[in-house]
Amino acid sequence: MTVFDYAPAPESRSVVDIRASYGLFINGEFTGGHGEPFKTINPADEGVLAEVACADESDVDRAVRAARAAYDKVWGPMPGAERAKYLYRIARIVQERSRELAVLESIDNGKPIRESRDVDVPLVAAWFFYYAGWADKLRHAGLGPAPKPVGVAGQVIPWNFPLLMLAWKIAPALACGNTVVLKPAETTPLTALLFADICRQAELPPGVVNIVTGAGETGAALVSHPGVDKVAFTGSTDVGRQIARTLAGTRKKLTLELGGKAANIVYQDAALDQAVEGIVNGIFFNQGHVCCAGSRLLVQESVAEEVLERLKARMATLRVGDPLDKNTDIGAINSAAQLARIRELTDAGQAEGAERWSPPCELPSQGFWFAPTLFTGVAQSHRIAREEIFGPVLSVLTFRTPEEAVTKANNTPYGLSAGIWTEKGSQILWTAQRLRAGVVWANTFNKFDPASPFGGYKESGFGREGGRHGLEAYLNA
Amino acid sequence: MPDRLSVRKTYKLYIGGAFPRSESGRSYPVTDSKGRFLANASHASRKDARDAVVAARKAFPGWSGRTAYNRAQILYRIAEMLEGRRDQFIDELRQAGASKGAAGTEVDAAVDRWVWYAGWADKLAAVTGAANPVSGPFFNFSTPEPTGVVAVVAPDSPLLGLVSVLAPVIVSGNTTVVIASEPAPLPSITLAEVLATSDLPGGVVNLLTGHRTEIAPWLAAHMDVNALDLAGALPEHVRELEDKAAGNLKRVLRPTGDDWAGEPGTARMTAFLETKTVWHPVGV
């Protein structure tokens, strides 16, 4: 160890009690499933964490019936002010149990504790706190004088932000008077099941929140269940398309938060050190497992060399390793399948002629790891510039004029997010107006807040989550 | 025996600001409510639909880039031009089966609807946008933007129904390809003549006549169409059209069973808006 190395600073796991096996959470009770149970593993060391029940069609049916009964008898008729208090309770318990939630999230997902502790869990509490306040003010939301809940919401969420996506889905749904059946991702079910315990501590009426674990088949059974009135999905564009097809011709409401291939535009007058920080945060936050990640860097040609030099120097300081170490910047890739997908696409990048670079970094021998990676000499036609990689991989392209930057940024079927770096306010507004993307971060990146709508244009899906706009998905106005 | 033979009108398509016949050379006879021949309407083809999408896409940057005030002026101008042709529309609606009184009421309502929507152009952002009080030193605001190219299957109310689906799509800056009512297309093409003389840029509205079951699937599956309004789709075709629309995740407005004479509300406008949220740090 040299004098400047960091000593290990691991967060204690003792705050979390992981059970050997978990059931489904239906009608306020943990119950077995009729599917084949599956194991969830720690992506940092491939160790088995727990066995989890799998819901088949009959289990999904039980959950939907429980949600329907709770909607008809308890949650739907309840005054908004009372619903609000339950949501406030949940927000408070999340805050009280935040360390436990953060540690469990990092263990099950592989994300650094620094992020689960400082970003995910605080935002989860904020989301419940924010939507709690809407529950008794829905008539003032500008969505009509007498907005009504939709009924039973079927919600399917991804593995990249397991608890945060749960909060994005459940908080507005409950605030609006709906009940929910939520399916977490099969690789990251544990914090959702811990959330079930939080619902019990809050004494949320049985059936208001139901959690069915399983893989794609469980999700398909949920979205196609005739007792579901509204489907909300966050995940890949391909699965989103399938869900849209499944719902064709039905009366179910649908919102989709899908993939992205965000352009992060750096103009020559940008504050370059801040821009480099923003680029790093844009693509290496959460191992790049972020639908709105700034995965296409567009640098103005005149500063490209300098930006790349500073970016490489900054990347060399990123610490990859134990997610529970408080100094870790980049944790584990969530699964073997995702690691294989990242490898396939980066190999394609090399094969198509882009130049690959990673800082020297030693990866652990156990678990799923991928070094932060940079591609230069990228053409718009390359797969690494077109397809979502969902990993710590940045493709660098250049431009000469603002018009060219906007044209290249918009040259994608996606339209979720974008970044702009310049010191010139009029240039920010000019660029932001022309970008076909739902979230534009100017001189910052990857910021989230429950008061702020989030969602995409084009094939990044439809509907918005967050803010007043996020209520629309869960109300019939 | 009249001492003068009337000059009949040839009804054509409206694409990119021009009035072409169908490239397929096809037409179909349109009859009045008693089965009497009125005119041959163009029978649009898949190629016509694709040309219309190209025209709509080309017109989108210009139309969406105009100021809301300017779009309001143009929508109000449409009302003016429609009012000026009031008698002609009454005649055409009567040919389609309406009584004289009902036809007059419908034309007046159509004029008033353009006026109503004209007033929305520069208010939508204030009503549907937001300054978001996020927890941190950021200025964060959300503004509505048009979704893009919207394909519309118009309902069989040939003037008021058409205006009621068309105006909310274009007021926010979307451009559109509309399949007119199949049994009663004639007032729709006459409306296109109003649009063509109302300062509305060519390509903002493109109007096809023909068989909706033939054309609508091409538009629903078209990868450069962003949204689909199924107002006039036949119930048995909704599933197929929604299925095709999933290909590029089009926004779909399902048939809503609107009463076109009623108060429109904002839902038809907000169905074709995207919300863009912009963040910027606050600091010195």
Side-chain angles (χ1 to χ4, degrees), chain A residues 239-446:
Chain A
V239 176
R241 248 190 281 276
Q242 285 172 30
I243 292 175
R245 291 206 167 99
T246 303
L247 267 54
T250 71
R251 302 303 300 177
K252 288 179 195 173
K253 280 181 85 134
L254 175 63
T255 44
L256 299 170
E257 295 287 359
L258 308 176
K261 193 73 192 176
N264 205 356
I265 301 170
V266 178
Y267 285 113
Q268 59 189 6
D269 71 333
L272 291 187
D273 284 327
Q274 282 95 321
V276 165
E277 275 310 301
I279 295 162
V280 166
N281 178 40
I283 185 61
F284 300 121
F285 174 64
N286 204 40
Q287 296 73 248
H289 300 330
V290 186
C291 50
C292 52
S295 53
R296 284 185 298 153
L297 176 62
L298 296 176
V299 193
Q300 197 151 18
E301 208 173 85
S302 47
V303 290
E305 234 171 88
E306 192 177 353
V307 167
L308 272 173
E309 197 177 302
R310 295 192 201 194
L311 180 59
K312 287 179 174 177
R314 177 66 181 88
M315 282 172 67
T317 68
L318 291 171
R319 298 169 52 81
V320 184
D322 182 6
L324 285 184
D325 189 313
K326 284 172 263 188
N327 291 320
T328 291
D329 297 306
I330 298 184
I333 301 301
N334 181 250
S335 65
Q338 185 56 28
L339 182 58
R341 161 104 183 134
I342 296 169
R343 284 185 175 148
E344 186 216 325
L345 276 161
T346 46
D347 288 350
Q350 266 179 299
E352 287 179 336
E355 194 181 324
R356 177 179 188 155
W357 181 87
S358 286
C361 83
E362 213 168 293
L363 300 178
S365 53
Q366 285 288 303
F368 314 125
W369 303 93
F370 198 87
T373 297
L374 183 74
F375 277 102
T376 50
V378 179
Q380 292 186 78
S381 56
H382 288 168
R383 284 183 71 192
I384 51 169
R386 308 200 65 80
E387 297 180 32
E388 189 176 36
I389 299 176
F390 226 64
V393 182
L394 180 64
S395 297
V396 184
L397 299 93
T398 58
F399 66 92
R400 290 185 178 176
T401 64
E403 288 79 7
E404 188 187 347
V406 167
T407 303
K408 283 183 167 169
N410 286 338
N411 181 19
T412 166
Y414 295 115
L416 186 51
S417 62
I420 306 167
W421 298 86
T422 167
E423 292 292 90
K424 197 171 171 189
S426 56
Q427 186 155 267
I428 289 172
L429 296 175
W430 182 92
T431 309
Q433 275 183 353
R434 280 159 184 77
L435 291 171
R436 299 288 291 165
V439 185
V440 177
W441 286 292
N443 292 325
T444 183
F445 210 94
N446 269 344

Side-chain angles (χ1 to χ4, degrees), chain A residues 241 249-252 258 432-433 435-436 438-440 442-443 447 449 451-453 456-458 461 464 468-469, chain B residues 127-128 132 134-135 138 140 142 145-147 242-243 246-249 251 254 274-281:
Chain A
R241 248 190 281 276
T250 71
R251 302 303 300 177
K252 288 179 195 173
L258 308 176
Q433 275 183 353
L435 291 171
R436 299 288 291 165
V439 185
V440 177
N443 292 325
K447 292 288 183 295
D449 192 281
S452 177
Y457 285 42
K458 300 194 280 185
R464 293 294 180 270
R468 183 179 64 82
H469 296 75
Chain B
V127 171
T128 66
N132 309 303
V134 299
S135 147
F138 295 94
N140 175 298
S142 297
E145 289 191 348
T147 297
E242 283 191 37
D243 184 75
N248 69 336
L249 295 158
R251 286 71 174 127
R254 290 167 167 160
E274 301 292 335
T275 297
K276 177 184 282 176
T277 301
V278 181
W279 293 66
H280 195 279

Side-chain angles (χ1 to χ4, degrees), chain B residues 64-132:
Chain B
S64 59
R66 284 178 186 239
T67 65
Y69 178 55
N70 184 249
R71 283 200 300 272
Q73 294 276 309
I74 291 172
L75 260 67
Y76 185 76
R77 180 70 176 158
I78 295 171
E80 289 178 345
M81 299 306 275
L82 183 53
E83 178 89 25
R85 297 217 205 183
R86 189 170 181 276
D87 292 343
Q88 182 187 356
F89 278 98
I90 289 174
D91 285 347
E92 285 193 343
L93 290 173
R94 289 185 68 191
Q95 285 181 341
S99 71
K100 188 173 182 187
T105 306
E106 181 170 348
V107 176
D108 291 346
V111 171
D112 291 354
R113 190 128 305 166
W114 282 112
V115 174
W116 194 77
Y117 277 111
W120 266 113
D122 51 6
K123 291 153 197 85
L124 265 178
V127 171
T128 66
N132 309 303

